[in-house]
mmCIF file of all heavy atoms in Angstrom:
data_model
loop_
_atom_site.group_PDB
_atom_site.id
_atom_site.type_symbol
_atom_site.label_atom_id
_atom_site.label_comp_id
_atom_site.label_asym_id
_atom_site.label_seq_id
_atom_site.Cartn_x
_atom_site.Cartn_y
_atom_site.Cartn_z
ATOM 1 N N SER A 1 0.827 -1.215 0.000
ATOM 2 C CA SER A 1 0.000 0.000 0.000
ATOM 3 C C SER A 1 0.852 1.251 0.000
ATOM 4 O O SER A 1 0.349 2.329 -0.284
ATOM 5 C CB SER A 1 -0.912 0.014 1.227
ATOM 6 O OG SER A 1 -0.123 0.020 2.416
ATOM 7 N N ASP A 2 2.167 1.153 0.290
ATOM 8 C CA ASP A 2 3.028 2.333 0.269
ATOM 9 C C ASP A 2 3.278 2.819 -1.146
ATOM 10 O O ASP A 2 3.533 3.996 -1.373
ATOM 11 C CB ASP A 2 4.370 2.016 0.929
ATOM 12 C CG ASP A 2 4.209 1.921 2.436
ATOM 13 O OD1 ASP A 2 3.175 2.400 2.927
ATOM 14 O OD2 ASP A 2 5.115 1.348 3.087
ATOM 15 N N LYS A 3 3.225 1.949 -2.123
ATOM 16 C CA LYS A 3 3.519 2.342 -3.501
ATOM 17 C C LYS A 3 2.551 3.384 -4.034
ATOM 18 O O LYS A 3 2.959 4.392 -4.569
ATOM 19 C CB LYS A 3 3.546 1.119 -4.398
ATOM 20 C CG LYS A 3 4.727 0.211 -4.088
ATOM 21 C CD LYS A 3 4.762 -0.962 -5.045
ATOM 22 C CE LYS A 3 5.963 -1.842 -4.729
ATOM 23 N NZ LYS A 3 6.027 -2.999 -5.640
ATOM 24 N N PRO A 4 1.247 3.170 -3.853
ATOM 25 C CA PRO A 4 0.321 4.226 -4.305
ATOM 26 C C PRO A 4 0.573 5.546 -3.576
ATOM 27 O O PRO A 4 0.452 6.601 -4.149
ATOM 28 C CB PRO A 4 -1.056 3.656 -3.971
ATOM 29 C CG PRO A 4 -0.845 2.186 -3.954
ATOM 30 C CD PRO A 4 0.523 1.988 -3.432
ATOM 31 N N LYS A 5 0.943 5.458 -2.290
ATOM 32 C CA LYS A 5 1.218 6.689 -1.549
ATOM 33 C C LYS A 5 2.397 7.414 -2.144
ATOM 34 O O LYS A 5 2.404 8.623 -2.260
ATOM 35 C CB LYS A 5 1.496 6.350 -0.086
ATOM 36 C CG LYS A 5 0.269 5.907 0.677
ATOM 37 C CD LYS A 5 0.606 5.651 2.110
ATOM 38 C CE LYS A 5 -0.637 5.197 2.879
ATOM 39 N NZ LYS A 5 -0.331 4.910 4.288
ATOM 40 N N ALA A 6 3.414 6.672 -2.529
ATOM 41 C CA ALA A 6 4.570 7.303 -3.147
ATOM 42 C C ALA A 6 4.184 7.962 -4.448
ATOM 43 O O ALA A 6 4.615 9.073 -4.760
ATOM 44 C CB ALA A 6 5.664 6.266 -3.372
ATOM 45 N N ASP A 7 3.334 7.313 -5.234
ATOM 46 C CA ASP A 7 2.869 7.890 -6.504
ATOM 47 C C ASP A 7 2.079 9.153 -6.240
ATOM 48 O O ASP A 7 2.188 10.147 -6.962
ATOM 49 C CB ASP A 7 2.015 6.873 -7.259
ATOM 50 C CG ASP A 7 2.863 5.682 -7.691
ATOM 51 O OD1 ASP A 7 4.104 5.828 -7.741
ATOM 52 O OD2 ASP A 7 2.268 4.603 -7.956
ATOM 53 N N SER A 8 1.251 9.060 -5.174
ATOM 54 C CA SER A 8 0.438 10.238 -4.838
ATOM 55 C C SER A 8 1.324 11.407 -4.463
ATOM 56 O O SER A 8 1.051 12.559 -4.813
ATOM 57 C CB SER A 8 -0.511 9.913 -3.682
ATOM 58 O OG SER A 8 -1.370 8.867 -4.060
ATOM 59 N N ALA A 9 2.412 11.152 -3.736
ATOM 60 C CA ALA A 9 3.313 12.231 -3.313
ATOM 61 C C ALA A 9 3.961 12.870 -4.514
ATOM 62 O O ALA A 9 4.085 14.079 -4.622
ATOM 63 C CB ALA A 9 4.374 11.699 -2.368
ATOM 64 N N LYS A 10 4.344 12.017 -5.472
ATOM 65 C CA LYS A 10 4.945 12.574 -6.687
ATOM 66 C C LYS A 10 3.951 13.431 -7.449
ATOM 67 O O LYS A 10 4.281 14.492 -7.962
ATOM 68 C CB LYS A 10 5.453 11.446 -7.567
ATOM 69 C CG LYS A 10 6.654 10.720 -6.983
ATOM 70 C CD LYS A 10 7.090 9.604 -7.897
ATOM 71 C CE LYS A 10 8.284 8.870 -7.311
ATOM 72 N NZ LYS A 10 8.725 7.767 -8.189
ATOM 73 N N THR A 11 2.699 13.018 -7.529
ATOM 74 C CA THR A 11 1.666 13.792 -8.220
ATOM 75 C C THR A 11 1.446 15.122 -7.539
ATOM 76 O O THR A 11 1.288 16.168 -8.168
ATOM 77 C CB THR A 11 0.356 12.999 -8.271
ATOM 78 O OG1 THR A 11 0.613 11.736 -8.862
ATOM 79 C CG2 THR A 11 -0.709 13.728 -9.058
ATOM 80 N N GLY A 12 1.434 15.137 -6.228
ATOM 81 C CA GLY A 12 1.245 16.381 -5.478
ATOM 82 C C GLY A 12 2.374 17.356 -5.713
ATOM 83 O O GLY A 12 2.164 18.562 -5.852
ATOM 84 N N ASP A 13 3.608 16.883 -5.812
ATOM 85 C CA ASP A 13 4.753 17.759 -6.076
ATOM 86 C C ASP A 13 4.638 18.410 -7.429
ATOM 87 O O ASP A 13 4.898 19.620 -7.596
ATOM 88 C CB ASP A 13 6.048 16.929 -6.002
ATOM 89 C CG ASP A 13 6.326 16.472 -4.577
ATOM 90 O OD1 ASP A 13 5.726 17.058 -3.652
ATOM 91 O OD2 ASP A 13 7.117 15.511 -4.407
ATOM 92 N N GLY A 14 4.172 17.656 -8.420
ATOM 93 C CA GLY A 14 4.002 18.230 -9.756
ATOM 94 C C GLY A 14 2.933 19.311 -9.754
ATOM 95 O O GLY A 14 3.063 20.357 -10.383
ATOM 96 N N PHE A 15 1.858 19.020 -9.011
ATOM 97 C CA PHE A 15 0.767 20.005 -8.952
ATOM 98 C C PHE A 15 1.213 21.281 -8.255
ATOM 99 O O PHE A 15 0.875 22.400 -8.686
ATOM 100 C CB PHE A 15 -0.426 19.386 -8.232
ATOM 101 C CG PHE A 15 -1.596 20.328 -8.075
ATOM 102 C CD1 PHE A 15 -2.423 20.652 -9.151
ATOM 103 C CD2 PHE A 15 -1.834 20.927 -6.844
ATOM 104 C CE1 PHE A 15 -3.474 21.515 -8.978
ATOM 105 C CE2 PHE A 15 -2.890 21.788 -6.675
ATOM 106 C CZ PHE A 15 -3.726 22.090 -7.738
ATOM 107 N N SER A 16 1.989 21.148 -7.181
ATOM 108 C CA SER A 16 2.457 22.332 -6.446
ATOM 109 C C SER A 16 3.360 23.191 -7.306
ATOM 110 O O SER A 16 3.292 24.444 -7.279
ATOM 111 C CB SER A 16 3.201 21.888 -5.184
ATOM 112 O OG SER A 16 2.333 21.154 -4.344
ATOM 113 N N GLY A 17 4.219 22.587 -8.118
ATOM 114 C CA GLY A 17 5.118 23.345 -9.000
ATOM 115 C C GLY A 17 4.343 24.130 -10.038
ATOM 116 O O GLY A 17 4.645 25.301 -10.312
ATOM 117 N N SER A 18 3.345 23.516 -10.626
ATOM 118 C CA SER A 18 2.541 24.205 -11.656
ATOM 119 C C SER A 18 1.774 25.376 -11.056
ATOM 120 O O SER A 18 1.645 26.451 -11.668
ATOM 121 C CB SER A 18 1.567 23.215 -12.296
ATOM 122 O OG SER A 18 2.279 22.154 -12.898
ATOM 123 N N PHE A 19 1.250 25.129 -9.824
ATOM 124 C CA PHE A 19 0.484 26.185 -9.163
ATOM 125 C C PHE A 19 1.371 27.391 -8.831
ATOM 126 O O PHE A 19 0.961 28.559 -9.001
ATOM 127 C CB PHE A 19 -0.143 25.626 -7.893
ATOM 128 C CG PHE A 19 -1.025 26.616 -7.176
ATOM 129 C CD1 PHE A 19 -2.262 26.997 -7.715
ATOM 130 C CD2 PHE A 19 -0.616 27.175 -5.979
ATOM 131 C CE1 PHE A 19 -3.055 27.906 -7.045
ATOM 132 C CE2 PHE A 19 -1.416 28.103 -5.320
ATOM 133 C CZ PHE A 19 -2.642 28.462 -5.833
ATOM 134 N N ALA A 20 2.614 27.138 -8.458
ATOM 135 C CA ALA A 20 3.546 28.244 -8.149
ATOM 136 C C ALA A 20 3.866 29.051 -9.392
ATOM 137 O O ALA A 20 3.943 30.298 -9.364
ATOM 138 C CB ALA A 20 4.809 27.667 -7.518
ATOM 139 N N ALA A 21 4.076 28.311 -10.514
ATOM 140 C CA ALA A 21 4.375 29.013 -11.778
ATOM 141 C C ALA A 21 3.203 29.899 -12.194
ATOM 142 O O ALA A 21 3.379 31.031 -12.704
ATOM 143 C CB ALA A 21 4.713 27.987 -12.861
ATOM 144 N N LEU A 22 1.982 29.380 -11.967
ATOM 145 C CA LEU A 22 0.787 30.154 -12.322
ATOM 146 C C LEU A 22 0.682 31.421 -11.479
ATOM 147 O O LEU A 22 0.333 32.509 -11.984
ATOM 148 C CB LEU A 22 -0.452 29.274 -12.148
ATOM 149 C CG LEU A 22 -1.793 29.922 -12.486
ATOM 150 C CD1 LEU A 22 -1.829 30.340 -13.974
ATOM 151 C CD2 LEU A 22 -2.934 28.962 -12.193
ATOM 152 N N LEU A 23 1.009 31.270 -10.179
ATOM 153 C CA LEU A 23 0.971 32.449 -9.307
ATOM 154 C C LEU A 23 1.973 33.511 -9.743
ATOM 155 O O LEU A 23 1.688 34.723 -9.723
ATOM 156 C CB LEU A 23 1.253 32.016 -7.857
ATOM 157 C CG LEU A 23 0.133 31.224 -7.155
ATOM 158 C CD1 LEU A 23 0.583 30.810 -5.766
ATOM 159 C CD2 LEU A 23 -1.143 32.068 -7.065
ATOM 160 N N ILE A 24 3.160 33.042 -10.139
ATOM 161 C CA ILE A 24 4.183 33.998 -10.602
ATOM 162 C C ILE A 24 3.706 34.732 -11.850
ATOM 163 O O ILE A 24 3.862 35.965 -11.996
ATOM 164 C CB ILE A 24 5.507 33.279 -10.865
ATOM 165 C CG1 ILE A 24 6.094 32.770 -9.534
ATOM 166 C CG2 ILE A 24 6.511 34.182 -11.571
ATOM 167 C CD1 ILE A 24 7.281 31.880 -9.713
ATOM 168 N N LEU A 25 3.084 33.964 -12.762
ATOM 169 C CA LEU A 25 2.582 34.577 -13.998
ATOM 170 C C LEU A 25 1.508 35.602 -13.713
ATOM 171 O O LEU A 25 1.483 36.713 -14.291
ATOM 172 C CB LEU A 25 2.051 33.472 -14.925
ATOM 173 C CG LEU A 25 1.495 33.941 -16.273
ATOM 174 C CD1 LEU A 25 2.588 34.670 -17.089
ATOM 175 C CD2 LEU A 25 0.945 32.763 -17.057
ATOM 176 N N VAL A 26 0.599 35.204 -12.801
ATOM 177 C CA VAL A 26 -0.477 36.141 -12.439
ATOM 178 C C VAL A 26 0.097 37.405 -11.800
ATOM 179 O O VAL A 26 -0.350 38.556 -12.049
ATOM 180 C CB VAL A 26 -1.476 35.451 -11.497
ATOM 181 C CG1 VAL A 26 -2.470 36.460 -10.951
ATOM 182 C CG2 VAL A 26 -2.212 34.343 -12.243
ATOM 183 N N SER A 27 1.111 37.219 -10.949
ATOM 184 C CA SER A 27 1.723 38.383 -10.281
ATOM 185 C C SER A 27 2.368 39.314 -11.292
ATOM 186 O O SER A 27 2.253 40.562 -11.200
ATOM 187 C CB SER A 27 2.776 37.895 -9.265
ATOM 188 O OG SER A 27 2.171 37.096 -8.270
ATOM 189 N N VAL A 28 3.057 38.701 -12.261
ATOM 190 C CA VAL A 28 3.721 39.526 -13.286
ATOM 191 C C VAL A 28 2.690 40.301 -14.095
ATOM 192 O O VAL A 28 2.834 41.513 -14.377
ATOM 193 C CB VAL A 28 4.585 38.628 -14.196
ATOM 194 C CG1 VAL A 28 5.088 39.428 -15.407
ATOM 195 C CG2 VAL A 28 5.758 38.052 -13.421
ATOM 196 N N LEU A 29 1.611 39.582 -14.462
ATOM 197 C CA LEU A 29 0.558 40.246 -15.231
ATOM 198 C C LEU A 29 -0.081 41.376 -14.412
ATOM 199 O O LEU A 29 -0.429 42.447 -14.938
ATOM 200 C CB LEU A 29 -0.505 39.226 -15.661
ATOM 201 C CG LEU A 29 -0.055 38.196 -16.732
ATOM 202 C CD1 LEU A 29 -1.160 37.196 -16.973
ATOM 203 C CD2 LEU A 29 0.304 38.934 -18.023
ATOM 204 N N GLY A 30 -0.228 41.076 -13.091
ATOM 205 C CA GLY A 30 -0.821 42.117 -12.244
ATOM 206 C C GLY A 30 0.066 43.348 -12.146
ATOM 207 O O GLY A 30 -0.414 44.504 -12.203
ATOM 208 N N MET A 31 1.380 43.105 -12.042
ATOM 209 C CA MET A 31 2.315 44.226 -11.963
ATOM 210 C C MET A 31 2.317 45.010 -13.263
ATOM 211 O O MET A 31 2.359 46.251 -13.265
ATOM 212 C CB MET A 31 3.713 43.686 -11.653
ATOM 213 C CG MET A 31 3.844 43.108 -10.248
ATOM 214 S SD MET A 31 5.464 42.388 -9.964
ATOM 215 C CE MET A 31 6.480 43.845 -10.137
ATOM 216 N N LEU A 32 2.264 44.288 -14.389
ATOM 217 C CA LEU A 32 2.233 44.975 -15.680
ATOM 218 C C LEU A 32 0.966 45.816 -15.823
ATOM 219 O O LEU A 32 0.983 46.950 -16.378
ATOM 220 C CB LEU A 32 2.330 43.947 -16.806
ATOM 221 C CG LEU A 32 3.689 43.228 -16.960
ATOM 222 C CD1 LEU A 32 3.599 42.153 -18.046
ATOM 223 C CD2 LEU A 32 4.785 44.240 -17.307
ATOM 224 N N SER A 33 -0.140 45.230 -15.331
ATOM 225 C CA SER A 33 -1.415 45.974 -15.433
ATOM 226 C C SER A 33 -1.360 47.253 -14.605
ATOM 227 O O SER A 33 -1.814 48.340 -15.035
ATOM 228 C CB SER A 33 -2.575 45.090 -14.962
ATOM 229 O OG SER A 33 -2.682 43.946 -15.785
ATOM 230 N N VAL A 34 -0.810 47.153 -13.420
ATOM 231 C CA VAL A 34 -0.721 48.342 -12.548
ATOM 232 C C VAL A 34 0.175 49.394 -13.188
ATOM 233 O O VAL A 34 -0.119 50.613 -13.189
ATOM 234 C CB VAL A 34 -0.183 47.931 -11.165
ATOM 235 C CG1 VAL A 34 0.116 49.172 -10.331
ATOM 236 C CG2 VAL A 34 -1.192 47.057 -10.456
#
């Protein structure tokens, strides 16, 4: 049962990285708009 957990952890790391990149993009766009 640890194997699926390990897969889940890897999936969560990928999701967190994408979400951070999106936040940076939004921040840049917000700064440009201001």
Side-chain angles (χ1 to χ4, degrees):
S1 61
D2 286 344
K3 292 183 179 180
K5 289 182 180 179
D7 294 340
S8 299
K10 291 179 180 180
T11 305
D13 291 343
F15 178 75
S16 299
S18 300
F19 183 71
L22 180 62
L23 288 177
I24 293 171
L25 180 60
V26 172
S27 299
V28 170
L29 290 175
M31 291 176 63
L32 291 175
S33 298
V34 171

